[in-house]
Amino acid sequence: MNLTAESHRVPLSDGNSIPLLGLGTYADPQKTPKGSCLESVKIAIDTGYRHIDGAFVYFNEHEVGQAIREKIAEGKIKREDIFYCGKLWNTCHPPELVRPTLEKTLKILQLDYVDLYIIELPMAFKPGDVIYPRDENGKFIYHETDLCATWEAMEACKDAGLAKSIGVSNFNRRQLEMILNKPGLKYKPVSNQVECHPYFTQPKLLEFCRQHDIVIVGYSPLGTSRDETWVNVSSPPLLKDPVLNAIGKKYNKTAAQVALHFNIQRGVVVIPKSFNPQRIRENFQIFDFSLTEKEMKEIEALNKNVRYVELLM
């Protein structure tokens, strides 16, 4: 199998399709220098990436939009070449807030539509301008949410042409079934973005989603940074795994490239995040080799049900 990032896409149930490899743009605004995302997205597009994963709460969508527009102006790409995923944040679940929130994202991006718009988490925070609302004891202030009503507002965004496709993120089977079994469902989620890598292979959720034509998009496909403010740093570093490194040596690839190819070979979309030009290019060089059935099974056997991003909220 000799894949190319341009041609190898996964069909979505609504007729759209999503590239198997994307660039994640998550950034801590307190730690990431201004302009880092802009340059990274431009490097990614020049390298051949066409799938960019972003979110309003990454606070860098203005840089993503600028990078896309600059590359269009250069004649490097057309808008329809790019697949951009945006996300509905927890404070915006009330149905009346969904479209205005997406419109705000589009205004920041200076684009007419997003290719995929997803509910970032299945629980809601208190609506308002505070992104992470907390009480006097520092505990999150939650908000009772009706996911089905939120989903209907997402469907309306698709009907209005503001989003080509709609999906979800961090949903488990029960939450997916709530949407799938909703009376009067117009569009089912085309994708579910979840943590997915060789130490957390998500076999049951993957099988359920396959049965319902829902594509799994794997975030943290290389494990994560060792940032103890939001990551379980007691978990073993994925990229030091001896099996991944041994297989990589056979193909003259890194453990990271093997981990990424493992997921795309089983139909999972991967969105590795990097602002490092060398790693952005390395992560793209995964379409010129194929893992054997034995190697796929060896990597599947690494599953430890280790969730790096614990979502303690």
Side-chain angles (χ1 to χ4, degrees), residues 238-289:
L238 176 69
L239 300 185
K240 291 187 177 176
D241 186 88
V243 173
L244 295 178
N245 280 279
I247 293 172
K249 192 172 180 183
K250 172 185 170 184
Y251 295 105
N252 196 27
K253 295 291 179 182
T254 64
Q257 290 168 323
V258 171
L260 293 175
H261 192 95
F262 162 72
N263 259 333
I264 67 164
Q265 192 161 319
R266 63 192 193 124
V268 173
V269 175
V270 289
I271 46 171
K273 174 256 167 179
S274 181
F275 288 168
N276 179 305
Q278 182 183 342
R279 290 203 197 102
I280 289 172
R281 294 183 185 106
E282 265 185 15
N283 290 342
F284 192 79
Q285 293 161 1
I286 58 172
F287 298 98
D288 56 354
F289 73 107

Side-chain angles (χ1 to χ4, degrees), residues 3 8 10 12 15 20 26 30 50 54 64 78 111 170-171 177 180 183 194 214 226 240 270-271 279 302:
L3 307 176
H8 209 80
V10 178
L12 299 175
L20 270 169
Y26 169 79
Q30 306 299 321
R50 295 297 178 261
V64 175
K78 297 175 182 171
L111 298 176
N170 297 301
F171 274 48
E177 286 177 333
L180 293 170
V194 296
I214 298 170
R226 311 297 283 179
K240 291 187 177 176
V270 289
I271 46 171
R279 290 203 197 102
L302 297 177

